[in-house]
Amino acid sequence: LVRGVLVQSIADSQELGEDPGRQQLIDLARHLQGRLPAAPDPPAPGNSAPGNSTEWFYCRADGCGRRFGSDEKLAAHVQRSHQ
């Protein structure tokens, strides 16, 4: 949960542009993210919790790990944030 919030904060702040206060938030979030234990691998398709019909698509970029509800949204994120 904490890792997801940090990753989302970093991504959102990067997309909003340069601002000294925002850059400080990004630096702090990255520092905290670096201190967390390694993230577990995302569940394999079909191995989700019972009753959970949502299939998640995870960003595999180093240090990212954001998840998306569709492959198209993941592709747009990768194009926007990692290329």
Side-chain angles (χ1 to χ4, degrees):
L1 177 66
V2 172
R3 180 177 305 279
V5 171
L6 291 173
V7 168
Q8 187 68 44
S9 295
I10 292 168
D12 289 346
S13 295
Q14 288 175 331
E15 290 175 3
L16 293 174
E18 296 297 321
D19 174 342
R22 190 169 289 120
Q23 185 59 45
Q24 186 177 12
L25 174 64
I26 292 170
D27 293 342
L28 176 60
R30 284 190 177 138
H31 174 75
L32 292 172
Q33 184 181 25
R35 296 189 56 157
L36 291 174
D41 289 334
N47 289 342
S48 59
N52 185 2
S53 62
T54 303
E55 182 178 357
W56 293 108
F57 298 84
Y58 291 86
C59 180
R60 298 281 187 179
D62 188 35
C64 187
R66 288 184 67 185
R67 69 181 186 181
F68 298 89
S70 73
D71 192 37
E72 292 81 16
K73 288 182 180 181
L74 171 60
H77 161 75
V78 169
Q79 180 70 30
R80 185 176 59 247
S81 301
H82 301 298
Q83 292 184 356

